[in-house]
Amino acid sequence: MNTLEFAKQKLTEVGLKATQQRMVILAAVQQSKNHPSPEAVYEKVRVNNPSISLGTVYNTLDIFVEKDLIQTVLAKNGLKRYDGRLGNHNHIHCVNTNEILDFEDEELNDLVLEFLKRKKIENLDIRKFSLHIQGEKIDEKKNIKIH
Amino acid sequence: MNTLEFAKQKLTEVGLKATQQRMVILAAVQQSKNHPSPEAVYEKVRVNNPSISLGTVYNTLDIFVEKDLIQTVLAKNGLKRYDGRLGNHNHIHCVNTNEILDFEDEELNDLVLEFLKRKKIENLDIRKFSLHIQGEKIDEKKNIKIH
DNA sequence: TCTTATTTAATAATTGTTACAAATTTAAAA
DNA sequence: TTTTAAATTTGTAACAATTATTAAATAAGA
Ligand SMILES: [Mn+2]
Ligand SMILES: [Mn+2]
Ligand SMILES: [Zn+2]
Ligand SMILES: [Zn+2]
């Protein structure tokens, strides 16, 4: 099953009409490794769907978050960014490149989950958690900053 | 020493002229428990300093981050928010109230720090980390959602 | 096919933020 | 103290990201 077929199936599962626009937008976010902004999604899908509108991208992304097909990711610069990966995972924020990289680690998840279970937080129904690691990307060979 | 005196001292320490505006803005962020937006800081300081300008609040907050007097905190809605607390600490994001609460826990910090030391991340110079806990605030008595 | 509801495209409006120039304040020099 | 220059602030304009609006297009059902 290709990515569009998969998107179509997901859309119908949550009760959304599987329009062309929704399918390509969902596929774009899910394939993306970059935690893309609405603008980035727009530029990507526009290549094969030149008539698609930026407003539609904004609206559709919000609908997808509502339906739990994708999630929002927090970004320092105040731009909206989305994440096709659901479930608990962690993020590395590069202070120099502004990239947001996924950092998946089962051991870390277990570690935190166990901690949270032990240390009950009053009056809070925990939904998800994510470790945000802020650091500087360095060049592996020369140990200098990457621009 | 009152909070304004303390702010004055901090400002001179980092080489900034301790103007009235800077002192009250710094004191406002440091006293705030809410991770305030620029607008919120503005409303707060405006009470006793009616002639202060919103632009000054924006500029000054950025200067403070630059000088490491305060830090930015990531917010989902794309608004800028600031944090008078430096150093590694964690945040609880309430999905229903939109509050961002501090969650300080020495044990958790050690846990994560030890993990990160053990599990070296390639080509990354880690600066700080923070656990984001997303959850729903519930009423302690009746176990229903707080609005 | 006809009818109706849903979705989209195009564009206008709004919002949060930044840029700017004139006015004010501060600090230093004379 | 006055003079001068630099730094800061104010008030407002500009900007960019997002949201709202509305007419056209599309899809589904009768
Ligand atoms: Mn995040
Ligand atoms: Mn914005
Ligand atoms: Zn991610
Ligand atoms: Zn905090």
Side-chain angles (χ1 to χ4, degrees):
Chain A
M1 178 165 53
N2 68 42
T3 63
L4 274 190
E5 285 294 324
F6 181 75
K8 187 175 196 168
Q9 182 181 314
K10 283 289 174 187
L11 286 167
T12 43
E13 269 178 25
V14 300
L16 289 174
K17 238 181 247 183
T19 65
Q20 181 70 12
Q21 289 89 335
R22 283 174 178 167
M23 286 191 289
V24 296
I25 290 170
L26 184 53
V29 177
Q30 282 174 340
Q31 286 183 275
S32 176
K33 301 253 172 203
N34 303 74
H35 305 87
S37 64
E39 187 71 36
V41 173
Y42 177 57
E43 292 304 333
K44 190 170 180 180
V45 298
R46 223 150 80 89
V47 177
N48 294 314
N49 305 72
S51 72
I52 205 167
S53 141
L54 180 58
T56 299
V57 174
Y58 271 95
N59 286 331
T60 304
L61 289 170
D62 278 349
I63 291 168
F64 289 173
V65 172
E66 194 77 19
K67 295 285 186 180
D68 268 317
L69 290 169
I70 63 178
Q71 59 173 327
T72 317
V73 59
L74 304 180
K76 180 113 60 179
N77 49 357
L79 300 202
K80 287 195 154 186
R81 292 178 76 164
Y82 293 87
D83 194 335
R85 188 174 307 213
L86 298 173
N88 276 336
H89 69 281
N90 312 291
H91 287 142
I92 299 172
H93 294 246
C94 302
V95 294
N96 45 337
T97 67
N98 247 328
E99 289 170 290
I100 300 174
L101 309 170
D102 282 326
F103 176 64
E104 209 141 4
D105 190 295
E106 191 63 31
E107 188 191 341
L108 177 60
N109 283 359
D110 292 347
L111 213 68
V112 174
L113 195 56
E114 198 207 330
F115 169 85
L116 289 174
K117 267 182 191 158
R118 193 151 31 85
K119 179 99 65 180
K120 280 277 175 208
I121 300 174
E122 294 278 313
N123 306 328
L124 187 74
D125 177 17
I126 295 177
R127 291 291 163 73
K128 56 177 70 161
F129 57 85
S130 163
L131 185 71
H132 286 235
I133 303 167
Q134 199 175 128
E136 187 168 2
K137 211 179 185 181
I138 53 178
D139 183 292
E140 66 270 20
K141 301 271 168 56
K142 305 185 171 189
N143 203 45
I144 55 171
K145 300 171 194 174
I146 294 171
H147 303 297
Chain B
M1 181 164 52
N2 67 43
T3 64
L4 274 190
E5 286 294 324
F6 182 74
K8 186 174 197 169
Q9 182 181 313
K10 283 290 174 186
L11 286 167
T12 42
E13 269 179 26
V14 301
L16 288 175
K17 239 182 245 180
T19 65
Q20 181 69 12
Q21 290 90 335
R22 283 174 178 164
M23 287 192 287
V24 295
I25 292 170
L26 184 53
V29 177
Q30 282 173 342
Q31 286 182 276
S32 178
K33 303 252 172 206
N34 304 74
H35 304 86
S37 65
E39 187 70 36
V41 173
Y42 177 57
E43 290 306 333
K44 191 169 179 181
V45 298
R46 223 151 81 88
V47 177
N48 293 314
N49 305 74
S51 71
I52 204 165
S53 143
L54 180 57
T56 299
V57 175
Y58 271 97
N59 288 331
T60 304
L61 289 170
D62 278 349
I63 291 169
F64 288 173
V65 171
E66 194 76 23
K67 295 284 187 182
D68 269 316
L69 291 169
I70 63 177
Q71 60 174 327
T72 318
V73 60
L74 303 180
K76 181 110 65 180
N77 48 356
L79 300 204
K80 287 194 154 187
R81 292 178 75 166
Y82 294 87
D83 192 336
R85 187 173 310 212
L86 299 172
N88 276 335
H89 69 279
N90 311 289
H91 287 142
I92 298 171
H93 295 246
C94 303
V95 295
N96 46 336
T97 66
N98 247 329
E99 286 170 290
I100 301 175
L101 309 172
D102 281 326
F103 177 65
E104 209 142 5
D105 189 294
E106 191 64 30
E107 187 191 341
L108 177 59
N109 283 359
D110 291 348
L111 212 68
V112 174
L113 196 57
E114 200 209 330
F115 169 85
L116 289 174
K117 269 183 189 160
R118 193 151 31 84
K119 178 97 69 179
K120 279 278 174 207
I121 299 174
E122 295 277 314
N123 307 327
L124 187 74
D125 178 15
I126 296 177
R127 291 290 163 73
K128 57 177 70 162
F129 57 86
S130 162
L131 185 71
H132 286 235
I133 302 167
Q134 200 174 127
E136 187 167 2
K137 210 178 186 182
I138 54 178
D139 184 292
E140 66 270 20
K141 301 272 168 56
K142 307 185 169 186
N143 204 45
I144 56 169
K145 301 172 196 174
I146 297 171
H147 302 298

